[in-house]
Amino acid sequence: MSDWLAKYEAQFYAFLDAQEYVDVAHDLAHIARVVKVAKQLALEENADLAVVLPAAYLHDCVSLPKNHPERHLASTLAADKAIGFLASIDYPDEYHHAIHHAIRAHSFSANITPESLEARIVQDADRLDALGAIGIARCMQVSGALNRALYSLDDPFCEVRETDDRRYSIDHFYHKLFRIANSLNTASARREGKKREGIMRDFLAQLRVEIVPR
Protein backbone atom coordinates (compact mmCIF):
# COMPACT_ATOMS: atom_id res chain seq x y z
CA MET A 1 0.00 0.00 0.00
CA SER A 2 1.34 3.43 -0.92
CA ASP A 3 2.51 5.84 1.78
CA TRP A 4 -0.03 8.51 0.81
CA LEU A 5 -2.91 6.07 1.23
CA ALA A 6 -1.66 4.73 4.55
CA LYS A 7 -1.71 8.25 5.96
CA TYR A 8 -5.50 8.39 5.53
CA GLU A 9 -6.19 5.25 7.57
CA ALA A 10 -5.91 7.03 10.92
CA GLN A 11 -8.42 9.63 9.70
CA PHE A 12 -10.83 6.91 8.55
CA TYR A 13 -10.61 5.21 11.93
CA ALA A 14 -11.04 8.42 13.92
CA PHE A 15 -14.14 9.28 11.89
CA LEU A 16 -15.64 5.83 12.46
CA ASP A 17 -14.76 5.79 16.16
CA ALA A 18 -16.93 8.89 16.59
CA GLN A 19 -20.00 7.28 15.00
CA GLU A 20 -22.92 5.72 16.85
CA TYR A 21 -23.62 2.08 15.99
CA VAL A 22 -27.19 0.92 16.56
CA ASP A 23 -26.82 -2.55 15.01
CA VAL A 24 -24.78 -4.92 17.17
CA ALA A 25 -23.59 -6.88 14.13
CA HIS A 26 -22.44 -3.79 12.21
CA ASP A 27 -20.10 -2.10 14.66
CA LEU A 28 -16.49 -0.96 14.54
CA ALA A 29 -15.23 -4.51 15.01
CA HIS A 30 -17.21 -5.62 11.94
CA ILE A 31 -15.70 -2.78 9.92
CA ALA A 32 -12.18 -3.72 11.03
CA ARG A 33 -12.73 -7.30 9.87
CA VAL A 34 -14.12 -6.19 6.51
CA VAL A 35 -11.12 -3.92 5.98
CA LYS A 36 -8.73 -6.78 6.79
CA VAL A 37 -10.39 -9.13 4.30
CA ALA A 38 -10.84 -6.43 1.65
CA LYS A 39 -7.12 -5.63 1.74
CA GLN A 40 -6.26 -9.30 1.23
CA LEU A 41 -8.75 -9.74 -1.61
CA ALA A 42 -7.52 -6.57 -3.29
CA LEU A 43 -3.97 -7.88 -3.27
CA GLU A 44 -5.00 -11.29 -4.57
CA GLU A 45 -7.26 -9.86 -7.29
CA ASN A 46 -4.98 -6.91 -8.20
CA ALA A 47 -7.60 -4.26 -7.42
CA ASP A 48 -7.08 -0.55 -6.71
CA LEU A 49 -6.61 -0.07 -2.96
CA ALA A 50 -7.27 3.66 -3.34
CA VAL A 51 -10.91 2.68 -3.94
CA VAL A 52 -11.17 -0.53 -1.92
CA LEU A 53 -9.65 0.79 1.32
CA PRO A 54 -11.87 3.84 1.94
CA ALA A 55 -14.95 1.99 0.70
CA ALA A 56 -14.28 -0.88 3.11
CA TYR A 57 -13.67 1.47 6.01
CA LEU A 58 -16.73 3.63 5.33
CA HIS A 59 -19.24 1.08 4.01
CA ASP A 60 -21.25 1.07 7.25
CA CYS A 61 -20.78 4.67 8.38
CA VAL A 62 -24.59 4.74 8.27
CA SER A 63 -26.12 1.50 9.56
CA LEU A 64 -29.76 0.75 10.28
CA PRO A 65 -31.12 -2.23 12.26
CA LYS A 66 -32.17 -5.36 10.34
CA ASN A 67 -35.85 -4.66 10.96
CA HIS A 68 -35.74 -0.95 10.08
CA PRO A 69 -38.24 -0.01 7.31
CA GLU A 70 -35.56 1.96 5.43
CA ARG A 71 -32.84 -0.66 5.73
CA HIS A 72 -32.57 -0.82 1.92
CA LEU A 73 -31.47 2.84 1.85
CA ALA A 74 -28.67 2.47 4.39
CA SER A 75 -25.86 1.84 1.90
CA THR A 76 -26.82 4.87 -0.20
CA LEU A 77 -26.93 7.04 2.92
CA ALA A 78 -23.54 5.64 3.92
CA ALA A 79 -22.10 6.34 0.46
CA ASP A 80 -23.30 9.94 0.56
CA LYS A 81 -21.93 10.48 4.06
CA ALA A 82 -18.62 8.85 3.12
CA ILE A 83 -18.07 11.13 0.15
CA GLY A 84 -18.83 14.18 2.27
CA PHE A 85 -16.22 13.04 4.77
CA LEU A 86 -13.64 12.20 2.10
CA ALA A 87 -14.08 15.64 0.55
CA SER A 88 -13.54 17.21 3.98
CA ILE A 89 -10.14 15.52 4.35
CA ASP A 90 -9.12 16.22 0.74
CA TYR A 91 -9.11 12.60 -0.36
CA PRO A 92 -8.41 12.67 -4.13
CA ASP A 93 -11.71 13.30 -5.87
CA GLU A 94 -10.90 11.12 -8.89
CA TYR A 95 -11.74 8.14 -6.65
CA HIS A 96 -15.00 9.48 -5.20
CA HIS A 97 -17.40 8.08 -7.79
CA ALA A 98 -15.92 4.57 -7.61
CA ILE A 99 -15.93 4.64 -3.80
CA HIS A 100 -19.55 5.82 -3.72
CA HIS A 101 -20.59 2.97 -6.01
CA ALA A 102 -18.66 0.36 -4.02
CA ILE A 103 -20.36 1.43 -0.79
CA ARG A 104 -23.85 1.52 -2.33
CA ALA A 105 -23.40 -1.91 -3.92
CA HIS A 106 -22.10 -3.76 -0.86
CA SER A 107 -25.51 -4.23 0.75
CA PHE A 108 -27.81 -7.26 0.39
CA SER A 109 -30.92 -5.18 0.91
CA ALA A 110 -29.97 -2.47 -1.61
CA ASN A 111 -29.84 -5.10 -4.40
CA ILE A 112 -27.36 -3.11 -6.52
CA THR A 113 -25.06 -5.02 -8.88
CA PRO A 114 -21.37 -4.13 -8.34
CA GLU A 115 -19.96 -2.87 -11.62
CA SER A 116 -16.25 -2.69 -10.83
CA LEU A 117 -13.69 -5.12 -9.45
CA GLU A 118 -13.27 -2.87 -6.43
CA ALA A 119 -17.02 -2.85 -5.71
CA ARG A 120 -17.13 -6.63 -6.07
CA ILE A 121 -14.29 -6.97 -3.57
CA VAL A 122 -15.94 -4.72 -0.97
CA GLN A 123 -19.18 -6.65 -1.37
CA ASP A 124 -17.32 -9.96 -1.03
CA ALA A 125 -15.43 -8.82 2.07
CA ASP A 126 -18.64 -7.70 3.75
CA ARG A 127 -20.46 -10.93 2.91
CA LEU A 128 -17.59 -13.13 4.08
CA ASP A 129 -18.12 -11.61 7.52
CA ALA A 130 -21.50 -13.40 7.60
CA LEU A 131 -19.75 -16.78 7.35
CA GLY A 132 -17.48 -18.88 9.56
CA ALA A 133 -17.12 -18.59 13.31
CA ILE A 134 -17.79 -14.86 13.23
CA GLY A 135 -20.83 -15.46 11.04
CA ILE A 136 -22.31 -17.80 13.64
CA ALA A 137 -21.64 -15.26 16.40
CA ARG A 138 -23.15 -12.38 14.44
CA CYS A 139 -26.24 -14.41 13.55
CA MET A 140 -26.81 -15.09 17.24
CA GLN A 141 -26.21 -11.44 18.13
CA VAL A 142 -28.86 -10.25 15.70
CA SER A 143 -31.26 -13.04 16.62
CA GLY A 144 -30.98 -12.14 20.28
CA ALA A 145 -31.66 -8.49 19.53
CA LEU A 146 -34.75 -9.51 17.53
CA ASN A 147 -35.87 -12.06 20.16
CA ARG A 148 -35.76 -15.04 17.80
CA ALA A 149 -35.78 -18.58 19.15
CA LEU A 150 -32.65 -20.62 18.45
CA TYR A 151 -34.43 -23.38 16.52
CA SER A 152 -37.77 -25.03 15.87
CA LEU A 153 -38.48 -27.87 18.28
CA ASP A 154 -40.41 -29.79 15.61
CA ASP A 155 -37.83 -29.53 12.81
CA PRO A 156 -34.60 -27.77 13.92
CA PHE A 157 -32.79 -28.16 10.59
CA CYS A 158 -35.60 -27.34 8.13
CA GLU A 159 -35.75 -30.88 6.79
CA VAL A 160 -39.48 -30.96 6.07
CA ARG A 161 -40.67 -27.38 6.44
CA GLU A 162 -40.05 -24.00 4.85
CA THR A 163 -37.44 -21.79 6.51
CA ASP A 164 -38.69 -19.00 8.75
CA ASP A 165 -35.73 -16.91 9.87
CA ARG A 166 -38.02 -14.29 11.36
CA ARG A 167 -38.73 -16.82 14.14
CA TYR A 168 -35.67 -19.10 14.29
CA SER A 169 -31.93 -18.33 14.25
CA ILE A 170 -30.84 -21.64 12.71
CA ASP A 171 -33.30 -21.14 9.84
CA HIS A 172 -31.21 -18.16 8.75
CA PHE A 173 -28.34 -20.52 7.90
CA TYR A 174 -30.53 -22.32 5.38
CA HIS A 175 -32.51 -19.31 4.19
CA LYS A 176 -29.54 -17.04 3.45
CA LEU A 177 -26.10 -17.84 4.84
CA PHE A 178 -25.48 -21.10 2.98
CA ARG A 179 -26.18 -19.32 -0.30
CA ILE A 180 -23.44 -16.76 0.15
CA ALA A 181 -20.27 -18.68 -0.75
CA ASN A 182 -21.42 -19.63 -4.25
CA SER A 183 -22.68 -16.10 -4.91
CA LEU A 184 -19.40 -14.33 -4.16
CA ASN A 185 -17.88 -12.37 -7.02
CA THR A 186 -14.17 -13.19 -6.92
CA ALA A 187 -12.37 -16.51 -6.98
CA SER A 188 -10.38 -15.60 -3.87
CA ALA A 189 -13.56 -14.85 -1.92
CA ARG A 190 -15.31 -18.02 -3.08
CA ARG A 191 -12.42 -20.16 -1.83
CA GLU A 192 -12.53 -18.47 1.56
CA GLY A 193 -16.32 -18.59 1.61
CA LYS A 194 -16.42 -22.37 1.18
CA LYS A 195 -13.95 -22.80 4.05
CA ARG A 196 -16.10 -20.65 6.31
CA GLU A 197 -19.28 -22.40 5.23
CA GLY A 198 -17.67 -25.68 6.25
CA ILE A 199 -17.13 -24.34 9.77
CA MET A 200 -20.83 -23.47 9.97
CA ARG A 201 -21.90 -26.90 8.76
CA ASP A 202 -19.64 -28.49 11.39
CA PHE A 203 -21.37 -26.34 14.01
CA LEU A 204 -24.78 -27.58 12.87
CA ALA A 205 -23.58 -31.18 12.92
CA GLN A 206 -22.49 -30.77 16.54
CA LEU A 207 -25.73 -28.99 17.39
CA ARG A 208 -27.64 -31.95 15.98
CA VAL A 209 -25.75 -34.31 18.28
CA GLU A 210 -26.62 -32.13 21.26
CA ILE A 211 -30.34 -31.53 20.62
CA VAL A 212 -31.79 -34.43 18.64
CA PRO A 213 -33.00 -37.37 20.78
CA ARG A 214 -31.25 -40.66 20.11
Side-chain angles (χ1 to χ4, degrees), residues 1 7 11 13 52 75 129:
M1 183 167 60
K7 291 177 182 178
Q11 296 181 75
Y13 189 88
V52 170
S75 67
D129 206 51

Side-chain angles (χ1 to χ4, degrees), residues 1-197:
M1 183 167 60
S2 61
D3 291 341
W4 74 265
L5 185 56
K7 291 177 182 178
Y8 282 103
E9 284 201 84
Q11 296 181 75
F12 298 159
Y13 189 88
F15 173 74
L16 292 168
D17 196 35
Q19 305 305 307
E20 194 172 320
Y21 299 94
V22 296
D23 183 343
V24 294
H26 295 84
D27 57 5
L28 194 54
H30 162 70
I31 292 170
R33 293 190 302 270
V34 171
V35 169
K36 173 180 178 288
V37 173
K39 285 181 178 179
Q40 184 60 40
L41 294 178
L43 291 173
E44 293 180 17
E45 299 289 335
N46 197 29
D48 190 347
L49 272 172
V51 175
V52 170
L53 191 67
Y57 266 108
L58 301 172
H59 77 281
D60 273 345
C61 64
V62 173
S63 181
L64 300 176
K66 289 284 188 184
N67 58 351
H68 195 285
E70 295 187 345
R71 174 79 178 184
H72 64 290
L73 300 177
S75 67
T76 297
L77 296 172
D80 292 344
K81 184 174 182 177
I83 296 306
F85 165 67
L86 291 173
S88 76
I89 62 171
D90 297 321
Y91 195 83
D93 59 10
E94 65 261 33
Y95 300 113
H96 288 192
H97 177 76
I99 293 167
H100 189 276
H101 170 66
I103 294 174
R104 286 190 72 225
H106 90 271
S107 170
F108 272 109
S109 54
N111 196 28
I112 297 169
T113 301
E115 297 176 354
S116 66
L117 173 60
E118 290 71 26
R120 291 191 287 272
I121 283 172
V122 174
Q123 186 185 86
D124 282 353
D126 181 64
R127 294 185 180 185
L128 280 169
D129 206 51
L131 299 178
I134 197 66
I136 296 169
R138 291 178 72 214
C139 180
M140 299 310 161
Q141 278 187 305
V142 172
S143 293
L146 297 176
N147 201 32
R148 295 170 178 158
L150 179 58
Y151 55 85
S152 164
L153 287 172
D154 297 326
D155 183 9
F157 304 102
C158 305
E159 291 171 320
V160 297
R161 64 179 175 84
E162 293 294 321
T163 60
D164 184 0
D165 62 353
R166 291 171 297 180
R167 296 182 63 192
Y168 305 115
S169 306
I170 295 304
D171 285 33
H172 193 56
F173 287 48
Y174 298 101
H175 183 73
K176 179 179 178 180
L177 301 181
F178 286 156
R179 300 180 182 182
I180 291 176
N182 287 333
S183 72
L184 295 171
N185 300 290
T186 61
S188 300
R190 286 193 294 274
R191 286 193 296 270
E192 178 63 21
K194 294 308 289 186
K195 292 179 187 176
R196 295 189 183 202
E197 181 184 310

